[in-house]
Amino acid sequence: HLGHSFPTRRSSDLEADIAEVVQTGKWIGDCFVYTNGANRLNYLVGGQTHTITHFDSYVPSTCFGSSRN
């Protein structure tokens, strides 16, 4: 199973399933911002995933700082 389930920051309840490989990610408020295996920067809010941009190459985890949620 390539998808990931991410709990909310406030509880142990699952917020959503992401049916792709998450490379890096971070909660920013109520929004989960992440990169995937296809070099896309996406965000998840309200159970919906949206693509922000596509990258030509690998995006290093330093885009999100040192913490990985």
Side-chain angles (χ1 to χ4, degrees):
H1 175 57
L2 296 178
H4 298 275
S5 297
F6 292 92
T8 62
R9 293 188 314 154
R10 293 173 215 67
S11 71
S12 60
D13 297 334
L14 292 180
E15 176 72 20
D17 283 330
I18 298 175
E20 59 188 333
V21 175
V22 173
Q23 299 292 325
T24 61
K26 184 173 187 174
W27 282 102
I28 302 173
D30 291 333
C31 179
F32 183 68
V33 179
Y34 67 97
T35 59
N36 66 15
N39 296 321
R40 291 185 179 134
L41 178 64
N42 297 322
Y43 69 95
L44 173 74
V45 65
Q48 297 290 318
T49 299
H50 306 276
T51 299
I52 297 170
T53 191
H54 302 262
F55 295 99
D56 293 332
S57 60
Y58 172 74
V59 180
S61 62
T62 55
C63 289
F64 295 107
S66 60
S67 65
R68 184 175 175 188
N69 295 341

